[in-house]
């Protein structure tokens, strides 16, 4: 009887590991067009990556930045036409209609390799990153940034497989114990 319960719990543990590993690799296997860090306007694409090497040298983020402090921003200009025009990058505190102070800005005219880098010190809170290509017509891209803020939606979706596994374990254990009680 105890062996059956142990087998059920072990199976549940393996199942939850399988669920978790599938969630971890979800971002790395998407195409550029489906990447949440890409903005596309009239076929002109830009890709945002943010890094905080002082905390985790290998981690790449997009708009959810885990800690406040020095943040390295890398903007990849995927479209060749963007590489030939001046680009303005501006970070403003707030989001939507609640925009306030400009935290920092960067003006780039020399980015023939398609990469613009900048390092910014960001405090906890919400920001909006504006990228403007000064062409004809001008191209405007926008990224909401969240620094050191809990994303309850992501937390919920990460926890769902574990919750389901725990509920299934409880159900099977209860059925098994009731069945054993009937045979006694």
């Amino acid at each position: 009887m105890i062996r059956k319960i142990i087998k059920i719990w072990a199976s549940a543990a393996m199942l939850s590991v399988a669920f978790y590993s599938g969630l971890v690799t979800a971002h790395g296997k998407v195409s550029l067009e489906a990447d949440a860090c890409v903005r596309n306007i009239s076929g002109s694409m830009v890709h945002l990556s943010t890094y905080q090497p002082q905390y985790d040298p290998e981690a790449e983020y997009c708009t959810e930045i885990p800690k406040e402090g020095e943040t390295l921003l890398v903007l990849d200009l995927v479209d060749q036409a963007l590489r030939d025009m001046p680009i303005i990058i501006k970070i403003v505190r707030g989001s939507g209609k609640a925009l306030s102070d400009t935290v920092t800005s960067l003006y780039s005219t020399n980015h023939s390799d398609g990469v613009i880098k900048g390092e910014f010190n960001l405090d906890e809170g919400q920001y909006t990153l504006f990228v403007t290509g000064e062409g004809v017509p001008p191209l405007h891209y926008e990224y909401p940034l969240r620094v050191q803020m809990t994303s309850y939606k992501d937390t919920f979706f990460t926890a769902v497989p574990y919750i389901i596994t725990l509920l299934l374990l409880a159900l099977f254990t209860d059925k098994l114990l009731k069945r054993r009680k009937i045979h006694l």
Side-chain angles (χ1 to χ4, degrees):
M1 177 63 187
I2 297 294
R3 286 186 175 159
K4 284 184 180 181
I5 293 174
I6 291 172
K7 284 181 182 178
I8 290 173
W9 281 97
S11 298
M14 288 188 284
L15 197 69
S16 65
V17 167
F19 275 131
Y20 181 73
S21 64
L23 288 171
V24 169
T25 59
H27 179 75
K29 294 183 179 181
V30 297
S31 67
L32 191 60
E33 291 79 17
D35 191 335
C37 300
V38 170
R39 298 295 184 265
N40 186 349
I41 296 177
S42 303
S44 294
M45 291 192 297
V46 296
H47 182 269
L48 173 69
S49 300
T50 55
Y51 303 90
Q52 292 186 314
Q54 70 275 25
Y55 300 117
D56 187 349
E58 297 178 17
E60 175 184 339
Y61 312 105
C62 183
T63 59
E64 295 286 332
I65 302 167
K67 298 185 185 271
E68 63 184 356
E70 289 296 317
T71 304
L72 178 63
L73 175 139
V74 178
L75 190 68
D76 295 307
L77 307 172
V78 179
D79 184 31
Q80 184 64 41
L82 286 170
R83 299 175 184 193
D84 299 328
M85 67 176 72
I87 303 289
I88 299 171
I89 298 172
K90 187 164 75 169
I91 298 178
V92 178
R93 185 174 289 282
S95 63
K97 295 181 181 181
L99 296 175
S100 62
D101 303 332
T102 297
V103 175
T104 189
S105 60
L106 175 71
Y107 186 77
S108 176
T109 56
N110 184 11
H111 39 264
S112 58
D113 62 350
V115 178
I116 301 173
K117 296 178 185 176
E119 194 166 327
F120 308 103
N121 191 4
L122 299 174
D123 295 328
E124 179 181 345
Q126 290 186 314
Y127 298 85
T128 303
L129 173 75
F130 294 101
V131 178
T132 304
E134 293 187 327
V136 178
L139 299 170
H140 302 283
Y141 306 92
E142 191 174 312
Y143 289 92
L145 300 178
R146 293 170 40 93
V147 178
Q148 197 171 333
M149 297 179 73
T150 302
S151 173
Y152 293 106
K153 181 181 89 172
D154 292 343
T155 304
F156 174 74
F157 284 117
T158 301
V160 164
Y162 298 107
I163 293 169
I164 291 172
T165 303
L166 184 64
L167 290 173
L168 287 173
L169 274 173
L171 177 71
F172 289 134
T173 304
D174 183 56
K175 295 273 186 197
L176 201 58
L177 290 174
K178 283 183 181 177
R179 186 172 161 198
R180 183 171 182 237
K181 201 180 224 183
I182 292 172
H183 292 293
L184 294 176

